[in-house]
């Protein structure tokens, strides 16, 4: 097996283990952790919006974008079936239309990757556009899958 394939296999096992840990955890704790993570994502996006608005140094945005990317790895596994109720705004559609939820999730990754590339490039106008496009993918999931 090549080093690259071994790494991919190890990463896949890691993700499965992580998903299993979430599925087995105390539901209230799983909800708390996903909401804390999402709150941090929201704060990163507010900071990114401020950089876009002030036409500041977009390279300074890169670590925030990377933090958001890291949080969203395996995101759907943060929604095991036993976390539908409680202190959560997750809508039942996440579980009744899980394919749609995963499709909305899959829209986010490329938008974040593009945002990171554009931020590293330093073009403030392009950054504003890429940020809007990434923000739209957040809304594409929130509208059908998150309560107001
Ligand atoms: C695939 C679906 C999905 C995507 C994509 C998504 N979110 Fe969410 N988001 C949710 C769900 C579901 C909740 C409600 C979670 C809960 O209450 O348990 C949520 C909640 C939140 C919250 C509220 C956290 C709190 O205080 O409880 C913020 C802020 C947030 N999302 C920001 C974002 C941003 C910014 C993006 C884009 C970068 C994004 N989300 C992308 C599904 C998504």
């Amino acid at each position: 097996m090549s080093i690259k394939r071994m790494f991919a296999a190890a990463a896949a096992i890691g993700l499965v283990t992580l998903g299993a840990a979430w599925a087995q955890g105390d539901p209230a704790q799983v909800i708390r952790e996903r909401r804390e993570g999402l709150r941090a994502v929201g704060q990163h996006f507010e900071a990114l919006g401020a950089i876009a608005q002030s036409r500041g140094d977009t390279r300074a945005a890169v670590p925030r974008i990377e933090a958001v990317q890291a949080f969203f790895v395996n995101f759907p596994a943060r929604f095991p079936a036993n976390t539908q109720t409680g202190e959560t705004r997750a809508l039942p559609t996440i579980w009744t239309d899980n394919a749609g939820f995963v499709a909305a999730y899959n829209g986010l990754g490329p938008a974040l990757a593009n945002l990171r590339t554009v931020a590293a490039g330093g073009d403030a106008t392009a950054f504003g556009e890429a940020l809007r496009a990434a923000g739209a993918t957040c809304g594409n999931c929130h509208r059908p899958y998150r309560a107001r």
Side-chain angles (χ1 to χ4, degrees), residues 34 79 89-99 101 144-146:
R34 82 179 170 220
F79 294 84
R89 285 157 70 196
L91 285 176
T93 45
I94 291 174
W95 294 274
T96 57
D97 174 28
N98 196 250
F101 181 69
Y145 302 109
R146 184 184 73 171

Side-chain angles (χ1 to χ4, degrees), residues 8 16 36 50 59 137 139:
V16 169
E36 277 168 14
R59 289 175 193 89
T137 67

Side-chain angles (χ1 to χ4, degrees), residues 10-94:
I13 292 162
L15 289 182
V16 169
T17 309
L18 205 57
W22 280 325
Q24 285 162 14
D26 166 30
Q29 180 66 19
V30 173
I31 290 171
R32 211 159 30 239
E33 285 177 11
R34 82 179 170 220
R35 293 190 58 184
E36 277 168 14
L38 284 161
R39 206 167 304 136
V41 165
Q43 285 158 1
H44 284 309
F45 260 67
E46 276 175 32
L48 298 180
I51 291 171
Q53 198 123 43
S54 67
R55 299 182 66 82
D57 181 4
T58 66
R59 289 175 193 89
V62 170
R64 289 190 181 276
I65 299 163
E66 287 174 347
V68 171
Q69 287 177 307
F71 170 74
F72 274 106
V73 170
N74 212 25
F75 180 68
R78 290 181 179 272
F79 294 84
N82 63 1
T83 62
Q84 299 190 38
T85 54
E87 293 293 312
T88 178
R89 285 157 70 196
L91 285 176
T93 45
I94 291 174

Side-chain angles (χ1 to χ4, degrees), residues 104-115:
Y105 165 67
N106 286 337
L108 178 70
L112 288 177
N114 179 57
L115 181 61

